[in-house]
Amino acid sequence: MIGTIISIILLLIVLGVILWAVQQLLPLVPMPHPIGLIVNVLITVVVVLVVVYIIASLLGVVSPVRL
């Protein structure tokens, strides 16, 4: 149980750092504003879906996460 909680916390930290890095580096890529906004929203949605999946697996709604 403790190992699972530590793994989930580490996964959330890694996801947060990746999201932060992408949002910091995205303005450096020359893209029109609407496309950059769409990419930013898609990345945020993917991270939110991963977090919701992790929370749902802890509650037993979906199969557990295999780390």
Side-chain angles (χ1 to χ4, degrees):
M1 181 70 175
I2 299 283
T4 303
I5 292 173
I6 292 172
S7 297
I8 290 172
I9 289 171
L10 288 175
L11 180 65
L12 291 175
I13 289 171
V14 168
L15 283 174
V17 169
I18 290 172
L19 179 63
W20 173 80
V22 167
Q23 289 195 358
Q24 294 297 316
L25 295 174
L26 195 59
L28 299 176
V29 178
M31 287 188 269
H33 177 66
I35 294 174
L37 185 63
I38 290 170
V39 170
N40 195 5
V41 168
L42 286 176
I43 291 170
T44 306
V45 166
V46 167
V47 170
V48 167
L49 286 176
V50 169
V51 169
V52 167
Y53 181 79
I54 290 171
I55 292 172
S57 68
L58 283 176
L59 296 174
V61 177
V62 295
S63 63
V65 176
R66 304 272 183 195
L67 299 177

